[in-house]
Amino acid sequence: MLRLSQIKLPLDHPDDALEAAVLKKLHLEAADLSRFSIVKRSYDARKKDTITLVYIVDVETPKEKALLKRFRKDPHVVPAPDMTYHPVAEAPAGFTNRPVVIGMGPCGMFAGLMLAQMGFRPIILERGKAVRDRSVDTFGFWLKKTLNPESNAQFGEGGAGTFSDGKLYSQVSDPHHYGRKVLTELVNAGANPEILYINKPHIGTYRLVKIVQNMRAHIEALGGEIHFQTRVVDLEIDQGRVCGVRLENGDRIASDHVVLAVGHSARDTFEMLYHRRVYIEAKPFSIGFRIEHPQALIDRCRLGDRAGHPRLGSADYKLVHHCENGRTVYSFCMCPGGKVVAAASEPGRLVTNGMSEYARDESNANSAIVVGITPEADYPEGPLAGIALQRRLEEGAFALGGGTYEAPGQLVGDFLAGRPSTHFGEVLPSYKPGVRLGDLGESLPDYAIAAIREAIPAFDRQIHGFAMADAVLTGVETRTSSPIRIKRNEQFQSLNTAGLYPAGEGAGYAGGILSAGIDGIRVAEAVALSLVGDR
């Protein structure tokens, strides 16, 4: 198989143009082209009047050897890598030492799936509810302001990513093509096959629900067990090795291989691990607001007259500004045609997130605009100090919003001028249960407010209209990533607790669905190899 890259075609090219471009590039006759498949499709919009589609394709031809020799100096014609997933181990017949996976978000789900596919019949423990029941609770919170601390946008089957658009792109190094395995399993569970090749693929929140259910059914069909509303409250550790878990109902499950995939909001679990002296350290994360603009404004600025073209979809953006005070402000988790959502998981605390449906056809674009912070400069008090800072900011936002889970908000023009907002303009906020206008200047530390006030006009120079006076800021965004890292060794086990496998976003090793799924696969392989080696 050959891999061809940098195949550029006009935005409106006919369906047969790609095959013709492949034949032309390789100087092949149609009879010599056995088949080809799209590996990736992206677009180049640097010249808005001539937006082009850019393809990477894999080509099967009987003339492969001769073509590789002919194009040996062309970096855009190379042997295609083997992206097939190959399991690293297989459980022997009658194997009884079942691993435990804590958490059924993307990382725990893929760890459990890989272990099940290798025959190890994992036991998966999820503190929240199954995804459909969880959806009822989450939407109920958005509409009725009734928070269930164990079933919400953070906790429950599918993890936080279920209510954050279902973005499936990542910048992690992936030499073993684990990302392809993640995407393939999602397609097998019902996702649109286009996620295998389009640039920045996403599934959409509502479609994820059925996909997550199908993946659960696959794990169970392979002998795995999944227990919902089952919160782990303690680890059993004997002479530096985990030997079991204790549940909230008092039950015990024995296991000397425990995958910890709890997500970035499992603060009570982090506190338990700290008191159990599992090695934890504070890590950097970011804080800020959600910003909303008309999606049409973003489309025009990024795509010009081709805005709305079906091959382009709703436009996104990625922005970074380095401030005079030494801080960095950047856009995060941009949701085209989406909405801002309530993502609280603790009573009396308020935090925002963003999500989109598959169509990305809501009127507003939203993104987090956040400031990077570090333990050394901003919360040096200890491993859990970042959690304490998050909680203080979320409590402050809850109070600013009136103590009813309405979020504090401010128009961009007023925020930049340092005056409270009193009424909405052209942009109406999408956040439910609602937004209470006022002054966000007191909702974050002074250095963060100063940095964001400097960054927004700078972003306006890249996207004209970004600093529009009627754009809406909604506070606060505090859970961009985990505030801790549970460090692990080369065998993916905790530095000081053998048999404990910290994994995914909560442990500080992922950020988003795809990277969390990749980390789940890597950890599952480490568990499988250890289990086979321990026989």
Side-chain angles (χ1 to χ4, degrees):
M1 192 87 74
L2 297 175
R3 175 156 294 180
L4 277 62
S5 58
Q6 287 296 305
I7 299 177
K8 297 183 178 182
L9 293 173
L11 181 59
D12 292 312
H13 73 76
D15 291 341
D16 59 358
L18 183 56
E19 179 176 343
V22 170
L23 294 173
K24 181 179 179 181
K25 171 67 178 178
L26 296 177
H27 308 294
L28 282 178
E29 297 296 329
D32 291 323
L33 179 61
S34 302
R35 66 182 181 90
F36 74 95
S37 59
I38 302 172
V39 177
K40 184 177 181 180
R41 187 189 75 196
S42 56
Y43 64 81
D44 183 347
R46 288 175 293 180
K47 296 180 180 179
K48 296 181 180 60
D49 56 340
T50 55
I51 295 176
T52 57
L53 296 177
V54 184
Y55 290 90
I56 300 174
V57 299
D58 281 353
V59 176
E60 187 174 321
T61 171
K63 295 190 173 183
E64 176 180 337
K65 187 176 295 185
L67 289 170
L68 283 174
K69 184 176 181 180
R70 179 191 300 176
F71 290 96
R72 62 186 180 276
K73 294 184 179 180
D74 188 337
H76 304 305
V77 181
V78 297
D82 179 9
M83 296 193 293
T84 307
Y85 181 75
H86 303 281
V88 298
E90 182 179 352
F95 192 80
T96 59
N97 186 13
R98 300 175 70 183
V100 166
V101 178
I102 306 174
M104 186 63 171
C107 181
M109 186 180 305
F110 275 94
L113 178 63
M114 295 303 102
L115 288 167
Q117 289 180 348
M118 289 185 280
F120 290 99
R121 300 185 303 117
I123 301 169
I124 304 176
L125 309 175
E126 168 55 53
R127 67 189 294 168
K129 296 182 181 181
V131 67
R132 287 208 179 273
D133 294 334
R134 174 197 181 194
S135 297
V136 171
D137 291 335
T138 302
F139 293 126
F141 171 49
W142 295 346
L143 295 174
K144 301 177 181 178
K145 307 179 184 180
T146 303
L147 175 66
N148 182 338
E150 297 296 330
S151 182
N152 47 62
Q154 306 293 350
F155 297 140
E157 185 182 22
T162 303
F163 294 97
S164 184
D165 187 78
K167 298 178 186 68
L168 296 172
Y169 41 93
S170 172
Q171 295 179 325
V172 299
S173 175
D174 186 22
H176 299 290
H177 307 289
Y178 293 137
R180 187 73 174 186
K181 173 66 170 174
V182 171
L183 297 178
T184 299
E185 292 296 344
L186 291 170
V187 170
N188 291 342
N192 191 321
E194 70 179 13
I195 68 172
L196 293 171
Y197 65 84
I198 62 171
N199 189 42
K200 296 184 179 180
H202 78 290
I203 293 176
T205 292
Y206 292 136
R207 294 190 177 197
L208 268 171
V209 171
K210 184 61 177 177
I211 291 166
V212 167
Q213 287 181 308
N214 290 341
M215 292 188 70
R216 179 214 313 166
H218 185 34
I219 293 170
E220 291 173 332
L222 293 170
E225 294 179 27
I226 302 170
H227 301 270
F228 296 111
Q229 297 179 265
T230 304
R231 186 162 71 93
V232 173
V233 296
D234 202 3
L235 293 180
E236 293 187 350
I237 300 171
D238 183 25
Q239 296 182 352
R241 182 174 187 91
V242 68
C243 54
V245 298
R246 290 278 180 183
L247 309 182
E248 189 175 29
N249 64 5
D251 289 348
R252 174 185 184 270
I253 298 177
S255 179
D256 56 7
H257 288 74
V258 176
V259 177
L260 188 72
V262 294
H264 61 34
S265 292
R267 294 164 173 171
D268 50 0
T269 302
F270 300 153
E271 291 167 344
M272 177 271 290
L273 295 170
Y274 178 73
H275 292 303
R276 275 291 182 185
R277 301 186 183 278
V278 174
Y279 184 83
I280 294 174
E281 63 185 22
K283 64 172 277 294
F285 62 104
S286 300
I287 56 175
F289 306 125
R290 281 273 153 183
I291 190 167
E292 292 188 84
H293 300 90
Q295 180 63 48
L297 181 151
I298 305 300
D299 289 343
R300 287 194 304 272
C301 289
R302 306 303 272 182
L303 303 175
D305 293 339
R306 307 317 301 269
H309 193 286
R311 280 177 169 160
L312 299 178
S314 298
D316 64 1
Y317 57 79
K318 184 177 181 180
L319 303 168
V320 180
H321 177 68
H322 301 288
C323 301
E324 291 184 0
N325 66 2
R327 302 285 175 169
T328 298
V329 179
Y330 62 98
S331 60
F332 171 79
C333 186
M334 195 272 161
C335 299
K339 61 185 73 173
V340 181
V341 299
S345 58
E346 295 178 326
R349 299 187 174 107
L350 189 148
V351 62
T352 62
N353 198 3
M355 62 172 264
S356 302
E357 302 305 336
Y358 174 76
R360 290 179 164 174
D361 57 0
E362 300 283 347
S363 59
N364 288 355
N366 80 79
S367 174
I369 300 297
V370 293
V371 183
I373 59 176
T374 66
E376 296 78 13
D378 305 306
Y379 42 101
E381 297 83 6
L384 304 183
I387 295 174
L389 174 59
Q390 287 178 324
R391 282 174 164 162
R392 288 197 301 273
L393 296 176
E394 292 169 16
E395 288 165 4
F398 182 76
L400 277 176
T404 63
Y405 294 106
E406 291 188 357
Q410 191 172 12
L411 304 192
V412 165
D414 293 330
F415 175 75
L416 295 177
R419 60 176 178 261
S421 293
T422 57
H423 61 277
F424 295 110
E426 177 185 347
V427 182
L428 297 179
S430 58
Y431 175 94
K432 302 295 182 186
V435 173
R436 180 174 179 172
L437 287 175
D439 185 358
L440 288 174
E442 56 186 286
S443 64
L444 296 177
D446 290 345
Y447 62 79
I449 296 296
I452 294 173
R453 281 182 173 147
E454 179 185 325
I456 289 176
F459 293 157
D460 191 78
R461 293 191 286 272
Q462 300 178 60
I463 300 177
H464 183 65
F466 198 88
M468 67 180 290
D470 287 353
V472 177
L473 294 167
T474 306
V476 290
E477 181 98 3
T478 57
R479 304 194 194 178
T480 52
S481 67
S482 180
I484 65 145
R485 179 171 285 113
I486 309 170
K487 294 198 74 172
R488 61 195 189 193
N489 59 25
E490 293 181 356
Q491 288 74 45
F492 294 87
Q493 300 181 42
S494 161
L495 290 183
N496 66 345
T497 308
L500 180 66
Y501 293 80
E505 193 157 354
Y509 290 99
I513 294 174
L514 185 59
S515 63
I518 290 171
D519 201 56
I521 295 173
R522 297 170 69 206
V523 167
E525 291 184 343
V527 170
L529 291 171
S530 177
L531 285 167
V532 172
D534 285 349
R535 286 189 298 141

